[in-house]
């Protein structure tokens, strides 16, 4: 049974969220402050944390940062703030998604289900790091790739970027987060221009016709969508 922690100081909202998720068969724990959330993580492990940003004794960002430093827990931010910079900060801290109040109950249910599905698919991924959607096949271990059976040549940086995208399929990656991920073992710096050029080259190699793999989320970053027709 998946365990979810809800950190929301509004008692009515917290109870509503709990009831929705309990009805879906999840085990739910409620916290109302940063301090309570910290105590919860000291005594239990959670698959998902739903965090309000504005809390009485601090910020949901603090909770998210602590979670990502010490646990493999997915995070959804729940807030009345819909400002672009708030969303970007959440994604930079490693959040999987972001829900702005008010929202239909179905939105919460579907987002939670989608995140757990994504995590389960990641766990089933073969240890030799192969991505294969039936058209594009990338073997990250041997650095070989094909598109519709034809060889595709990627530079080492492009393989690293694709591996980062594949590992975060369906998640918006900000440009800053991508730049941080692309530092290599010798700490050679990847700048904004190199990042833009690499994404452009990857798109030219794998996006044929109506098939799109990398979606630009304007003002935020990029999302790997897996070759759907857009």
């Amino acid at each position: 049974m998946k365990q979810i922690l809800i950190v929301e100081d509004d008692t009515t909202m917290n109870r509503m969220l709990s009831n929705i998720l309990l009805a879906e068969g999840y085990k739910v724990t409620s916290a109302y402050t940063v301090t309570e959330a910290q105590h919860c993580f000291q005594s239990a492990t959670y698959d998902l944390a739903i965090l309000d940003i504005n809390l009485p004794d601090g910020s949901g960002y603090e909770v998210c940062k602590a979670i990502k430093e010490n646990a493999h827990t997915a995070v959804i931010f729940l807030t009345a703030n819909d400002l672009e910079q708030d969303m970007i900060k959440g994604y930079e801290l490693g959040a999987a998604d972001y829900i702005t109040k008010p929202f239909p109950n179905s939105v919460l249910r579907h987002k939670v289900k989608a995140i757990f599905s994504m995590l389960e698919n990641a766990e089933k991924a073969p240890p030799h790091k192969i991505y294969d959607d039936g058209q594009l096949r990338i073997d990250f271990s041997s650095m070989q790739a094909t598109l519709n059976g034809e060889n595709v040549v990627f530079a080492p940086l492009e393989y690293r970027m694709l591996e980062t995208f594949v590992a975060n399929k369906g998640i918006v990656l900000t440009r800053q987060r991508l730049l941080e991920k692309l530092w290599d073992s010798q700490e050679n710096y990847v700048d904004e221009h190199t990042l833009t050029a690499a994404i452009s080259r990857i798109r030219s190699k794998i996006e044929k016709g109506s098939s799109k793999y990398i979606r630009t989320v304007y003002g935020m970053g990029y999302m790997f969508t897996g070759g759907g027709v857009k």
Side-chain angles (χ1 to χ4, degrees):
M1 181 183 294
K2 299 294 186 183
Q3 297 202 59
I4 300 175
L5 175 67
I6 298 172
V7 187
E8 163 64 66
D9 63 314
D10 185 303
T11 304
T12 302
M13 175 65 75
N14 199 314
R15 186 181 300 114
M16 182 194 75
L17 296 171
S18 296
N19 290 337
I20 293 170
L21 297 173
L22 285 169
E24 294 296 306
Y26 302 117
K27 184 176 180 180
V28 180
T29 301
S30 291
Y32 301 87
T33 64
V34 171
T35 301
E36 288 182 8
Q38 291 170 340
H39 289 160
C40 287
F41 273 97
Q42 289 171 1
S43 58
T45 300
Y46 300 93
D47 300 290
L48 172 67
I50 299 176
L51 310 177
D52 189 20
I53 288 182
N54 299 309
L55 297 166
D57 59 342
S59 166
Y61 294 137
E62 299 173 45
V63 181
C64 182
K65 186 175 180 180
I67 289 172
K68 292 302 179 181
E69 288 176 351
N70 300 290
H72 298 289
T73 301
V75 171
I76 293 177
F77 276 115
L78 178 68
T79 179
N81 297 337
D82 59 355
L83 296 177
E84 180 180 302
Q85 57 265 34
D86 292 328
M87 295 183 181
I88 291 174
K89 184 173 182 179
Y91 287 124
E92 287 179 340
L93 288 172
D97 214 330
Y98 203 108
I99 304 177
T100 303
K101 305 172 190 175
F103 56 88
N105 295 350
S106 59
V107 169
L108 176 67
R109 289 196 298 267
H110 283 95
K111 283 183 178 289
V112 170
K113 184 178 180 180
I115 287 173
F116 282 142
S117 177
M118 177 191 69
L119 294 175
E120 288 168 2
N121 289 336
E123 290 173 357
K124 294 176 182 176
H128 46 293
K129 295 183 180 179
I130 289 179
Y131 172 81
D132 191 344
D133 62 16
Q135 295 181 339
L136 177 63
R137 186 180 190 278
I138 308 172
D139 188 328
F140 293 104
S141 299
S142 63
M143 296 182 72
Q144 295 181 331
T146 59
L147 180 67
N148 296 321
E150 298 291 327
N151 289 333
V152 181
V153 178
F154 293 113
L157 174 62
E158 293 165 5
Y159 271 110
R160 285 163 49 208
M161 184 175 291
L162 280 165
E163 189 168 5
T164 298
F165 274 126
V166 168
N168 294 276
K169 181 180 177 181
I171 298 174
V172 176
L173 296 175
T174 64
R175 294 179 66 84
Q176 182 59 39
R177 191 173 179 196
L178 279 168
L179 289 171
E180 292 170 356
K181 291 282 188 183
L182 294 174
W183 279 69
D184 64 18
S185 57
Q186 287 77 43
E187 296 189 352
N188 291 321
Y189 183 65
V190 177
D191 61 20
E192 290 268 350
H193 175 73
T194 302
L195 175 68
T196 301
I199 290 176
S200 178
R201 289 196 303 270
I202 290 171
R203 281 173 161 162
S204 70
K205 294 174 183 179
I206 65 175
E207 297 188 348
K208 307 298 182 182
S210 60
S211 183
K212 303 298 181 184
Y213 279 88
I214 301 172
R215 179 162 69 89
T216 300
V217 182
Y218 291 102
M220 298 178 69
Y222 303 92
M223 178 190 294
F224 186 83
T225 57
V229 178
K230 305 297 181 187

